[in-house]
Each structure stands twice: as structure tokens, then as C-alpha cells.
Amino acid sequence: MSLTPAFLDELRARTSLSTLIGKTTKLTKAGREYKGCCPFHNEKTPSFYVNDDKGFYHCFGCSAHGDAIRWMTDQRGLPFIDAVKELAQAAGMEMPAQDRRAAERAERAQSLHDVMAAAADWFRQQLDGLEGAPARDLLERRGISDATKRNFGFGFAPDARGKLRTALKQFGDAMLIEAGLLISVEGKEPYDRFRGRLMIPIRDARGRVIAFGGRIIGDGEPKYLNSPDTPLFDKGRTLYNLDRALPAARKADRVFVVEGYMDAIALAQAGIGEVVAPLGTALTEHQLERLWRIADVPTLCLDGDNAGQKAAMRAAHRALPLLAPGRSLQFVTLPDGQDPDDLIRAKGAGALEALVREASPLVDRLWAHELAAEPLTTPEQRAGFRARMGELAKTIGDPVVRSEYHAEFRRRYDEQFGNQRRPFERGRSFEPRQPFVPRRPGQKWTPPPAPVTEDAKALHAAGNIDRVLAKAVLAGLIRHPVEIARHMEVLGSLRMADGALGRLFEAVVDVALEDRELDSSRLVTILADSGFEAVARDLLRADRMPYSFTQPTGDVTRAREDLDEAIAILVARPEVDAALADATSAMQARFTDEAFERQVALLREKQALELRLANLVQSNEDARAFDSEDD
């Protein structure tokens, strides 16, 4: 489907933002606006404002900013298209027509949602019936309250091969099989997948039941049984309790990962709602990426037994290639043999919070695990350990983070084994000598340059903005005003530009935020009244800049993607340049392997940014050449 700017603008206009936000956040009237405590960070004094007339919210404490769609994606955690669908349904708007195959898939998915909702209702009824007594006893022994039982939708599957099939016969066997509720065996009648189990619904980010987990009541294997993968359910991409955890996690600015459903439910019952669980497997790359959209450093709180700790290490290794500046994991170590549910029931939520305060960062967990893996008493064993740590660092994709891990592992290695490798240096640390540079006759000695200060780095970043690229980005925002609100993060970078460029950018942003229905020509007309007509029209000359987003015609989706990439490069370049200047200065002051490797890594990152920019130009030229051939 094609979501045009006109459709999205109409959707925003029909949505009462204060009503939408007021469903989960307490708001009070403040003049023509509403105010409340920000749901994105903890605060006692309200600094979060909602303006229905202008159609956006803004927090003066944490700078959270957006419209109705942004609220659904950031606070509710919905994918963009799901956010639009939900808002459109509430506003009474029809979504744009889909192609035939997409429409068939959507209709099929909707039918399966109906099946799963009916199954969840039936399981709940069985839990409250005579046959559900053993399941109710299990919940009571586990300390699950009636309120928690209702909130999480617990149910019961009777120990029979065809009761669910009979109860949901209106949907037909084929659909029940596709939903994962029946097992099909060639030459035999389909039969119920879940039998004699406590049933736990698994919901998607919108709160719709997409699968079930079944816990056996007595003895038997498997203890837990999940639904198979279906058109609704992908085990490797789903996190249990995500729909409930998202609002709590946004407010607390943290998210816990536990091993199983009952752990997540126990923590939620104890007042820790920002908790999710994978579904019987180690965390996947998709699940990690989803967690990082919620919090920069998720906390893994897995069982204290060997299996739980092995799962923690698998997650640590799987996370390494995906690390980025500021994005990592931390680990809570539970008492041996206990899971979070055991700890909460024995000592309460305070015991877990105390462990969280002592959580280990990812680098500590990796180091401690490898250090304890085997004896390190001989040079060969220590060399093997050092090689393993180097190989771990090499798996990190981001060059800056990789360089930092290499340096940190080397520092720890020197601290751990320095005395064993250099007994004659016991009592003093190794100081590398500076390279000898002979002085010319009469030349006075001067000390090496000091490391770059924070003020110097800030000044360097401000003066190092790529003005040519900044002009292209500004032209792209004037050409596509609807994109301005999505790129508030670039304000700081462009405002550092002096002269007319910086003033024009501030004017463009102010006008665009005041009027969300602007098109390019109307924006230029308004800018003309402020004296910016000549420079704005000059920027819009297609022959001046070789980017898709500066052209008057072309693929709008591609222009938007290219503009995103250009803005990312524009923001990253001064930061990399400042870090490179800092690393170069540090190496000049004292040459070490770590300083040299950091400088090389930053040089490579700078080259990578230049290559990305060159690719933007080349892709536009290729597209224009292709269009010319078609003509």
C-alpha cells in the first residue's frame, strides 16, 4: 500500500492527541495545552506538554517530541504500519488499498487472530471449570493472585484429544491446524496440541493473542510446550509480555530479560513491569534489536544454574557483532540454583533490585567467563587466553566499539599478568618511551602536546561540519518539508553552522513545526517573506547538488531513504573527526599500541563515512542514467 503525506496528515488531524496520550498518561489542562509527568523518563515536576492544535507533544526534560504516529511507535512500541492501522481504525478512516496478495494475507491473518482469541477465551473458561482445579492449585502454589491470573489470561487445556477441536469447530480443521492448535497426522484425525496443561497466552506488541505456552500440571516432558511457528507467530522474533512491558520500560528507562513466562509474571506481580522473556531459546539477533529499541542497556536476569549462565554467555556472544556506541547488555547474577521467581517469592522485589545495582557490564561478564575457563599458569595458556579475547573483540561490527574492546582487554591482561611476564619490573608500571627526535641547534625543548580537552573537542566538532553536505541536507528538507519533524536530532549539528546557512535552517524548522501541511513551494513562499528567497531557491537548483533528495522529481521513497543516510553522515562526521583529533593528540603525547589502533580504527571509520557519501552520489547518477535510457 502507499501511505501518502495527505493520508497521514488527515489521520493526524482526525486524532485527538491529548485523548490518545491521556489513555495511559495523566494530563491536566494548562491554557490551550495539556501537561503531565513525562512517560519517557522519571520526573516529579511535569515538563511534558501536549498541544492538540499543533498536533505534537514535547518534553522539556528529556526532549521527547512527536505526533500521534510517533507516540504509537515510541511509547507503545508498534511498527509504523501497525501504528497507522490502529489510529486509522480509531479515526474511522479506510487504509489505502492493498494489492490482491497483500489483501489476502491480511484477511487470512485477521481470521487467524479470531481463532486465537476464541481459543484463549475457551481455555480461560476451562480454568474456571471443574477440570481446571489442578491448574488453579498450581497457580496458588506459585503465589499467582487472582488479579494476575486475569491480567495475564491464564487458561487450562483439558487432558483430551478433541475438546478444543469440537469447541472451535466453526473455524474448521484447516484453520485450527494453521493456527498451531491442532496436530495433523497423515491418515488420522487431527487432535488437540495442548492437553493437560496450564495455558499462557503469548501476545504481540498490540496485545493480540498469537500463540500459547502450555505448562504441564504434574510430571512429564516437555515441561513447557510452545505453539509452533505460524503466520502469526515467529518464536525467534517474539518476546513474551512485550505489550505490557513497553509502557513500563519507557517510563523506567530499563528492561529486564528473564528466562521464562513464570519469571516475567512473578516480577510483574511484584511491581516490576518492564520485563520480557524469550520463548524457550537463546536470545536471537531480532530479539536483541527489539530490546535495544526499548533501552540502550537491557538487563539479563537469567537463572543461577549452569543452564541459565550458559544462556547468558550465548546472549553475550550473539550481541557482540551488534554492539554500537552506547548500546550494550548487563547481567544480574542470581544465587546458584535460583530463578527470579524463586528470589521474588523468598525475599521480595527489593532483593532483585539490590542485585540489579551490582549488575555486571558485558565486558566484565566476557572477561570473567574466559578467565575461569581453564588454568592460566603457563605462557602457552596465557597466550591462548589472550588470543581468545582478541577473537571475541574482532567479532564486534562497529569499529569504534571494537577498538575500545581491544584496548580494554589488553589493559586488563597487562594488569592481570604483568607481574608474571615481567618479574624484574615488579613494583612499577611499564611506561613506553617516546620516540627520539633530535633538536636543531639552539632549539628549546618543548613538552608534548596535552590531550584534547572537552571544550576543544566541542569547538572542533562545531567548526568541522561539512557545509557542502549541510547545504544538501537543508535543500532536501526544503524539498521534502514533511521529513523535518522526523529529523529533530540534526538540529544541533546544523545550528552550529554559522552565517546564513544556520539562520536559514532555524527558519525552515520553525515554519515547518508551526504548519504540518506545508509543501515545498509554500515553504519557499513563507521563507521569502523573511528574506531567504534567494538562498532557498538557489539551494533548490537540481543541477547544483548530486543527490536524489535535492531533485524536483524522482522516487519519493528513495529520496527519503537517501536523506536519512545523508543526515546520519552529517551528524557522524564531526564526532568522528573530533575523536580522531583526540586520538592523534594522545598518540603524539605518548605512543602506545592502543592509541595507534584507536587512531587507525577512527581513520577507517572516517573513510567509511566518505564511501557512504560517495555511494549516495553514485546511486543518484546511476538512477538518472537509467531514467535517461528509458526516455
Side-chain angles (χ1 to χ4, degrees), residues 423-558:
F424 55 90
E425 293 180 352
R426 194 181 304 273
R428 66 183 180 91
S429 60
F430 174 70
E431 294 289 340
R433 296 180 58 185
Q434 300 298 312
F436 174 72
V437 179
R439 296 197 299 273
R440 296 189 299 272
Q443 181 183 7
K444 294 183 179 180
W445 178 86
T446 55
V452 177
T453 65
E454 291 300 319
D455 289 342
K457 283 191 285 186
L459 182 61
H460 178 85
N464 230 23
I465 185 169
D466 185 333
R467 293 182 62 82
V468 174
L469 182 57
K471 287 181 179 180
V473 166
L474 183 51
L477 294 176
I478 296 174
R479 185 75 72 186
H480 306 279
V482 72
E483 300 301 314
I484 292 175
R486 293 181 54 241
H487 293 294
M488 295 298 291
E489 70 273 10
V490 81
L491 289 175
S493 298
L494 286 181
R495 279 179 175 161
M496 287 191 291
D498 57 1
L501 183 63
R503 293 193 299 273
L504 175 58
F505 183 81
E506 291 186 4
V508 167
V509 171
D510 289 343
V511 171
L513 289 180
E514 283 293 324
D515 187 350
R516 296 301 184 88
E517 298 181 359
L518 279 176
D519 58 18
S520 183
S521 60
R522 190 174 167 197
L523 174 58
V524 173
T525 301
I526 295 173
L527 291 174
D529 295 336
S530 302
F532 290 108
E533 180 178 20
V535 64
R537 293 197 182 280
D538 187 57
L539 285 175
L540 292 179
R541 284 179 54 186
D543 61 336
R544 294 289 299 275
M545 300 179 188
Y547 303 102
S548 62
F549 50 84
T550 63
Q551 306 305 310
T553 59
D555 185 341
V556 175
T557 300
R558 183 168 163 275

Side-chain angles (χ1 to χ4, degrees), residues 138-139 142 154 193-194 197-200 202 212-227 235 240 259-265 278-281 303 339 341:
L138 174 60
L139 290 174
R142 297 295 296 257
F154 281 101
R193 179 179 298 275
F194 298 101
R197 291 179 177 271
L198 177 70
M199 298 301 293
I200 305 167
I202 300 168
F212 291 96
R215 187 193 190 282
I216 199 161
I217 302 298
D219 296 330
E221 293 294 336
K223 184 177 180 181
Y224 286 96
L225 176 66
N226 287 331
S227 293
K235 181 166 59 177
Y240 176 72
E259 201 162 330
Y261 323 102
M262 299 306 293
D263 295 324
I265 293 166
L279 296 162
T281 62
D303 296 357
D339 58 27
D341 186 14

Side-chain angles (χ1 to χ4, degrees), residues 320-480:
L320 283 174
L322 309 174
L323 297 183
R327 190 169 85 169
S328 188
L329 298 174
Q330 65 177 7
F331 299 81
V332 167
T333 302
L334 295 174
D336 187 24
Q338 284 195 335
D339 58 27
D341 186 14
D342 298 328
L343 184 66
I344 291 290
R345 285 195 289 159
K347 299 182 179 180
L352 179 64
E353 293 286 4
L355 291 176
V356 172
R357 289 192 289 271
E358 303 296 325
S360 305
L362 174 60
V363 65
D364 285 358
R365 179 54 64 101
L366 292 168
W367 179 265
H369 180 266
E370 292 296 335
L371 196 64
E374 64 177 28
L376 299 173
T377 55
T378 69
E380 294 81 5
Q381 290 168 338
R382 292 193 294 273
F385 168 76
R386 184 170 181 171
R388 291 197 302 275
M389 301 311 294
E391 289 301 317
L392 281 177
K394 285 181 181 178
T395 64
I396 298 173
D398 184 272
V400 177
V401 178
R402 183 170 63 244
S403 174
E404 291 294 336
Y405 264 76
H406 273 298
E408 179 66 12
F409 286 156
R410 186 177 291 106
R411 183 190 66 78
R412 294 186 182 212
Y413 184 87
D414 288 342
E415 287 184 357
Q416 184 82 26
F417 302 110
N419 288 338
Q420 298 179 38
R421 293 186 292 116
R422 296 187 299 272
F424 55 90
E425 293 180 352
R426 194 181 304 273
R428 66 183 180 91
S429 60
F430 174 70
E431 294 289 340
R433 296 180 58 185
Q434 300 298 312
F436 174 72
V437 179
R439 296 197 299 273
R440 296 189 299 272
Q443 181 183 7
K444 294 183 179 180
W445 178 86
T446 55
V452 177
T453 65
E454 291 300 319
D455 289 342
K457 283 191 285 186
L459 182 61
H460 178 85
N464 230 23
I465 185 169
D466 185 333
R467 293 182 62 82
V468 174
L469 182 57
K471 287 181 179 180
V473 166
L474 183 51
L477 294 176
I478 296 174
R479 185 75 72 186
H480 306 279

Side-chain angles (χ1 to χ4, degrees), residues 63-304:
S63 298
H65 182 94
D67 56 13
I69 300 173
R70 187 69 175 265
W71 172 263
M72 300 293 280
T73 58
D74 281 8
Q75 205 276 337
R76 289 277 305 277
L78 298 181
F80 175 81
I81 193 66
D82 287 345
V84 172
K85 286 179 179 179
E86 192 162 317
L87 290 173
Q89 183 178 9
M93 294 176 64
E94 291 290 333
M95 291 289 288
Q98 298 174 309
D99 62 73
R100 182 178 58 82
R101 291 184 179 179
E104 289 174 353
R105 287 195 300 270
E107 183 178 355
R108 190 71 174 171
Q110 184 59 47
S111 299
L112 291 177
H113 281 302
D114 294 338
V115 172
M116 301 307 284
D121 288 341
W122 188 78
F123 287 137
R124 280 194 294 269
Q125 295 169 16
Q126 307 315 300
L127 179 62
D128 293 331
L130 291 176
E131 289 185 278
R136 295 196 298 272
D137 291 342
L138 174 60
L139 290 174
E140 186 175 353
R141 292 196 303 272
R142 297 295 296 257
I144 301 299
S145 68
D146 288 342
T148 300
K149 182 178 72 174
R150 290 192 301 272
N151 289 339
F152 283 88
F154 281 101
F156 173 67
D159 192 6
R161 294 174 64 87
K163 284 195 173 183
L164 176 68
R165 182 189 180 201
T166 300
L168 303 184
K169 62 183 179 181
Q170 71 271 23
F171 293 105
D173 286 351
M175 188 164 287
L176 294 175
I177 292 170
E178 187 174 15
L181 296 171
L182 297 185
I183 294 176
S184 176
V185 180
E186 187 175 355
K188 297 182 180 179
E189 290 287 314
Y191 59 93
D192 294 358
R193 179 179 298 275
F194 298 101
R195 305 180 304 280
R197 291 179 177 271
L198 177 70
M199 298 301 293
I200 305 167
I202 300 168
R203 299 178 299 271
D204 63 12
R206 296 174 62 180
R208 300 173 299 185
V209 178
I210 57 174
F212 291 96
R215 187 193 190 282
I216 199 161
I217 302 298
D219 296 330
E221 293 294 336
K223 184 177 180 181
Y224 286 96
L225 176 66
N226 287 331
S227 293
D229 283 355
T230 70
L232 299 183
F233 177 55
D234 184 335
K235 181 166 59 177
R237 294 175 179 266
T238 304
L239 289 166
Y240 176 72
N241 196 45
L242 181 63
D243 60 317
R244 294 179 178 276
L246 276 170
R250 297 291 185 193
K251 190 170 184 178
D253 194 25
R254 66 179 187 180
V255 63
F256 292 107
V257 182
V258 294
E259 201 162 330
Y261 323 102
M262 299 306 293
D263 295 324
I265 293 166
L267 264 63
Q269 182 171 276
I272 303 175
E274 57 276 17
V275 57
V276 298
L279 296 162
T281 62
L283 282 171
T284 66
E285 288 83 356
H286 295 294
Q287 289 168 331
L288 285 167
E289 292 287 358
R290 191 68 185 83
L291 288 167
W292 279 318
R293 288 170 57 189
I294 303 171
D296 289 337
V297 186
T299 301
L300 271 64
C301 189
L302 305 182
D303 296 357

